[in-house]
Structures are given as structure tokens and as C-alpha cells.
Amino acid sequence: MSPLPGTRAIPAGWSAHHAPVAEGALNGAGTVYDPDLRTTGWDDATESPTVVEGAPLYDGPLGIMSTQSEQTAQQAGDVVRTREYLVRFAADCPWLREGLLVKVTNGHADVDLTGRTLTVIDAQLGTERFQRDVVCRDSTETPTA
């Protein structure tokens, strides 16, 4: 219920009005791929497997913020380190489901993010949004000596 008859607490167009401001804060860049659209093969010259990503679902600005301290676990003799990140995209980015891959092409101030591949683990939805938000996990395996 609105406090005044004939008015709304949140005006129509609220998200669209604020989306350009949120997009202006996206100082990194990345590409989103669906791993189900990959094709794999074999390169006889290098004797190694090949992977070709399908068409990107998104390619553009993003922002990344760590939301969890690093977690470590042992798996099959390797130390696996994981960290979760809130990844923000422009408001017009399509909905991104769990399992999609975000390849960071520009980590901006944290260049160590550049080249990392994050996995979407939580695709967030909302009735008002200035940007598309997802939670991603970065898993890095460190072989033991």
C-alpha cells in the first residue's frame, strides 16, 4: 500500500532510471559461455586436446567483488582453493543460470583476476534491479609435491 492515494513507493521505471549509474561502475570485462555448447577435439600436431567455446552469451563490462574468504580442501591428493565472488553485469545482460562460465578478460585494478574462469553458482533475481548479479566460485587446484 502506498502512503498517498494514487502514488507508488517505487515509481515506474525506477530500475531503468538507475541502471546507467550502476553500469558506470563496471570497470572490468568478461565473457560468459555455456559449457554445454563446447566442442572438443584432438590436435595431432601438439598431441593435446582442444576445446572450442560456443558463442558467448555475454561479452562486455562487469564488476567483481569477493564475498567469501578463501576455503581450502584436499581432493585426490591436491589442495583445492575456492573463493566466491559477486559478479555484476549491465542490467540488460540476459539471465545467467547456474553452471555458466564467466571468463574474466580484464580484472582492472586486480589484474590477477584477468584470465580466471568463474562458475556461476547462484543466479540472483529481483523485482527491482539496476544490474544483473550472480554469485560465482573460483576453484584453483594446487598440486602437492
Side-chain angles (χ1 to χ4, degrees):
M1 173 159 219
S2 179
L4 300 172
T7 65
R8 298 174 48 134
I10 298 175
W14 179 265
S15 289
H17 177 75
H18 292 286
V21 175
E23 188 171 354
L26 304 178
N27 54 10
T31 307
V32 178
Y33 294 101
D34 184 341
D36 294 338
L37 300 179
R38 283 180 171 160
T39 57
T40 58
W42 183 259
D43 184 336
D44 288 329
T46 62
E47 295 184 355
S48 60
T50 60
V51 175
V52 176
E53 299 291 355
L57 304 176
Y58 176 87
D59 187 14
L62 56 73
I64 301 173
M65 180 177 69
S66 180
T67 61
Q68 176 195 51
S69 60
E70 183 177 85
Q71 307 292 312
T72 60
Q74 286 277 344
Q75 283 185 348
D78 291 337
V79 175
V80 178
R81 294 179 165 82
T82 61
R83 184 180 304 266
E84 292 181 7
Y85 295 93
L86 173 65
V87 182
R88 303 173 325 268
F89 299 89
D92 61 356
C93 176
W95 181 72
L96 302 174
R97 66 171 170 75
E98 288 86 357
L100 296 178
L101 303 176
V102 178
K103 293 194 175 187
V104 181
T105 57
N106 179 355
H108 187 60
D110 278 326
V111 295
D112 289 338
L113 285 169
T114 302
R116 291 185 184 241
T117 300
L118 312 175
T119 303
V120 176
I121 61 169
D122 183 17
Q124 300 184 349
L125 299 171
T127 59
E128 291 291 337
R129 63 178 180 80
F130 308 151
Q131 59 200 18
R132 171 74 61 203
D133 293 341
V134 298
V135 176
C136 293
R137 179 170 294 134
D138 179 20
S139 299
T140 305
E141 291 187 19
T142 306
T144 55

